[in-house]
Amino acid sequence: MTARRLQRLVLTGSITGAVIVALDGTVLTVAQPALQRDLHASFAQVQWTSTGYLIAVASLLVFAGRLGDRYGHQQLFALGILGFGATSAAIGLAPGVGWVIGLRVAQGIFGALLQPATLGMLRATYPPDQLGIPLALRTSAIGLAAAAGPVLGGALVAHWGWRGVFFLNVVPACLIGGLAWVVRVPSLAPAPPPPPTPTLTPPSASGHVPASASAFEPREASPGGPAGGAAPAGAAATGSDSEPRTAPSGGATPAATTAVASTTAGAGTTAGARTTAGAVAAHGATADHGATATPGARAAAGLDLPGACLLALALVSLVHTLVALPETGWTVVTALGGAVAVFACGAFIRHERRTASPLVPLSVVGSTAIASALAVLLSAAAALFGTLFVSTYFLQDVLALDPMECGLRVLPLAVLMVLSAPASAVLQRRYGPRRTTLAAMILLTLGILVLSQLDRTSTAPAIGAGFLLLGAGFGTVMVTATAVIVRHVPTAHAGVAGGLQQTAMNIGPTLGVATATMLVTLTTPTTTGDHSPGGPHWTAEAFLSAMGPTLLTLAAVAATGALAAAKLPRGTTVNGDSRQPPAVVARRDRDPSKASKASEASATTSGD
């Protein structure tokens, strides 16, 4: 099978997995009323069919991405999509709402395995400078699924009941999952050369390293070993002279070795360099992390299970608090959940700074480009979904539109998401991620401002204009910000970056809806009337009085994302795992004297 066919196969799997997850959320919203009637469930139980899934997904996305980095994204994708399809079939056969909730949690676990892998596979298959179009196609497919979901869900519920929406995923999930399990696709994206393996200077008879040499000074390798080695970054500091030493036999300079080694950490290969503690341990001193470990032990250590548990606890507490706040307000339970989230987040940060194999490597979260792109996605998702929540109440409770008419009013958003995604790939190549994303966030902010001016006399064109701006802005942001994350992350950490991107896209909507609900609740009297218990409902006049300030606040959230977009790179780059083009890395490693020139060339092309 040719490389192009393999790329198309991976792209098909990535798009199918993303569409299945997107359809699942949209069609379930339409099916929930029928599910409640058929299973005689309460409003809170029906809400937990969505909340349980969301908590499971959000808490495991980053850890699932790490699993993909360690054991292969294709394997995790196959397991995730097959499990997603199997649990969908089981939910369709569930006898009671308790079974539905439990199976939805299980489905969320498989969804967490599936979602980061859809991006990780693309990063491993396509060169960084060719990722724009695949990501644009993926985003267009998600937008199309979001547009078709309510219509398709309504048709399925009308003819086959709520169970039909869950059987919808079974056949495509099994087909794509079986194909991913059988066909092995090698990594086609360029990878950096492995770092040279340094050797240690043996101690003198007295047991001390000579003062004139570093404890890590590179030496000629034995006949059975590597051709040459390189000194770690700390070597020069331990020696008597402060100039960096050049490795013999064409080895890399210490700085170059550190740059390459830092990007290949966690890739499942044996580390090529030892720490100072490891060197001491090799000479008989006590140092736990310098000891030689079996491959299984190294894999287990690389997964950072304590960090994964702390992050899961923080996200579970955060999501539960955000979901409960609109219904109950600030109670002892919600306050405790918020406190647990803050404590677990602080403990996670402290643990990640100290552990030798962090769940979220510093090369990922320490990158200005990646951190800014995540902030853009979080703010854009919060602003968009908070606005959609408020707008839906406006269309149905103020303008008295039925669900079908409401869907038609919102349709311009989905249409522009589909159209803007491929266009954004072209704009990004021409104008760069910074200007493209900044313009998109401005469009998103303007769309919210237009909707904030609506009232009872607003016409369909005025409403459609607001949703057109929302769709054009958000569709472009999804492509450009995601492309920045995927391009700038090393292949060895592509799963973690994908997990962070998906976490932002899951936490953002929850944060936006919770913010919008709290703002409206604080400024309008709540009425119960004939509505379902437990849900927030307001009179039309009271809601109109609060809609403007609420949407203005959400516009400010989007404007915050625009500030973060100003930190994105100015131009697109061909960043491999070493954050430089592979040709630059190869030239630098062959001739250490050209390292500075290569760095200057890379800085010129980065546009950052």
Side-chain angles (χ1 to χ4, degrees):
M1 187 179 293
T2 64
R4 184 168 295 277
R5 288 184 177 179
L6 290 174
Q7 288 178 338
R8 290 176 179 174
L9 181 62
V10 170
L11 179 59
T12 301
S14 176
I15 290 176
T16 304
V19 167
I20 285 176
V21 173
L23 272 178
D24 179 80
T26 54
V27 299
L28 176 62
T29 303
V30 179
Q32 281 180 334
L35 183 152
Q36 181 179 4
R37 291 191 300 267
D38 188 33
L39 298 181
H40 306 287
S42 66
F43 180 83
Q45 288 175 322
V46 173
Q47 288 297 99
W48 269 101
T49 63
S50 297
T51 303
Y53 173 87
L54 177 61
I55 289 177
V57 167
S59 62
L60 294 174
L61 279 170
V62 178
F63 182 63
R66 184 62 169 165
L67 286 175
D69 290 335
R70 298 290 294 184
Y71 301 112
H73 298 293
Q74 188 176 340
Q75 290 87 334
L76 265 292
F77 174 81
L79 177 62
I81 197 168
L82 288 173
F84 199 93
T87 49
S88 292
I91 294 171
L93 300 173
V97 69
W99 281 95
V100 173
I101 295 173
L103 288 169
R104 282 285 289 172
V105 173
Q107 192 178 42
I109 295 174
F110 289 111
L113 297 177
L114 164 65
Q115 293 182 53
T118 62
L119 289 175
M121 291 192 304
L122 291 179
R123 177 63 180 89
T125 306
Y126 286 86
D129 59 337
Q130 297 179 15
L131 280 167
I133 295 300
L135 291 174
L137 292 175
R138 181 178 178 274
T139 302
S140 295
I142 293 174
L144 187 61
V151 178
L152 183 59
L156 289 172
V157 172
H159 290 84
W160 290 285
W162 65 269
R163 299 178 188 272
V165 302
F166 291 102
F167 290 124
L168 175 67
N169 296 325
V170 176
V171 174
C174 291
L175 287 177
I176 295 297
L179 194 61
W181 195 270
V182 173
V183 180
R184 295 302 178 194
V185 179
S187 177
L188 303 177
T197 304
T199 56
L200 299 174
T201 301
S204 61
S206 62
H208 297 285
V209 178
S212 60
S214 164
F216 290 100
E217 185 174 356
R219 304 172 56 231
E220 293 288 344
S222 62
T238 59
S240 58
D241 73 310
S242 59
E243 293 296 324
R245 294 180 173 88
T246 302
S249 304
T253 60
T257 304
T258 303
V260 175
S262 66
T263 59
T264 55
T269 58
T270 305
R274 296 181 182 178
T275 60
T276 305
V280 176
H283 296 308
T286 302
D288 294 339
H289 59 284
T292 302
T294 63
R298 285 196 303 269
L303 291 178
D304 187 17
L305 293 178
C309 292
L310 287 172
L311 180 60
L313 177 60
L315 291 174
V316 165
S317 302
L318 176 62
V319 172
H320 185 272
T321 301
L322 291 175
V323 171
L325 271 176
E327 298 180 6
T328 63
W330 283 107
T331 64
V332 175
V333 175
T334 53
L336 182 62
V340 171
V342 172
F343 173 79
C345 182
F348 172 75
I349 295 173
R350 178 182 176 88
H351 171 79
E352 292 298 285
R353 288 178 174 176
R354 298 188 172 202
T355 185
S357 182
L359 175 68
V360 183
L362 183 61
S363 61
V364 177
V365 296
S367 168
T368 302
I370 295 177
S372 300
L374 289 173
V376 168
L377 286 174
L378 182 66
S379 59
L384 174 72
F385 284 89
T387 302
L388 286 177
F389 174 81
V390 175
S391 301
T392 301
Y393 272 98
F394 169 77
L395 294 175
Q396 294 189 6
D397 289 358
V398 177
L399 299 186
L401 301 178
D402 60 39
M404 179 61 71
E405 292 174 325
C406 181
L408 292 176
R409 292 290 194 278
V410 182
L411 188 60
L413 184 149
V415 172
L416 261 293
M417 278 188 62
V418 174
L419 297 178
S420 64
S424 63
V426 178
L427 293 173
Q428 186 175 194
R429 284 198 300 268
R430 182 170 182 178
Y431 299 106
R434 180 182 299 177
R435 285 188 287 182
T436 304
T437 308
L438 185 59
M441 291 301 297
I442 293 174
L443 288 178
L444 182 63
T445 305
L446 289 176
I448 300 174
L449 292 176
V450 169
L451 294 176
S452 69
Q453 303 302 311
L454 299 179
D455 54 26
R456 288 182 179 274
T457 62
S458 298
T459 60
I463 298 172
F467 286 117
L468 280 172
L469 291 171
L470 288 182
F474 189 73
T476 303
V477 165
M478 278 192 65
V479 174
T480 54
T482 302
V484 168
I485 294 171
V486 176
R487 281 197 186 107
H488 285 75
V489 73
T491 305
H493 303 316
V496 171
L500 290 171
Q501 188 265 358
Q502 293 291 328
T503 301
M505 295 302 297
N506 280 273
I507 297 296
T510 309
L511 178 62
V513 172
T515 301
T517 306
M518 283 190 296
L519 289 173
V520 176
T521 303
L522 290 174
T523 54
T524 59
T526 304
T527 60
T528 55
D530 297 329
H531 300 289
S532 301
H537 295 282
W538 307 274
T539 63
E541 295 300 329
F543 181 81
L544 269 178
S545 67
M547 187 178 77
T550 300
L551 291 180
L552 288 176
T553 303
L554 293 172
V557 173
T560 303
L563 295 177
K567 298 291 185 179
L568 294 176
R570 287 193 298 267
T572 57
T573 59
V574 185
N575 284 338
D577 285 353
S578 59
R579 305 299 176 90
Q580 293 183 4
V584 174
V585 177
R587 290 196 302 269
R588 182 192 63 190
D589 290 342
R590 286 196 301 268
D591 188 356
S593 65
K594 297 181 180 179
S596 60
K597 295 182 179 179
S599 299
E600 293 176 0
S602 175
T604 302
T605 60
S606 67
D608 200 355

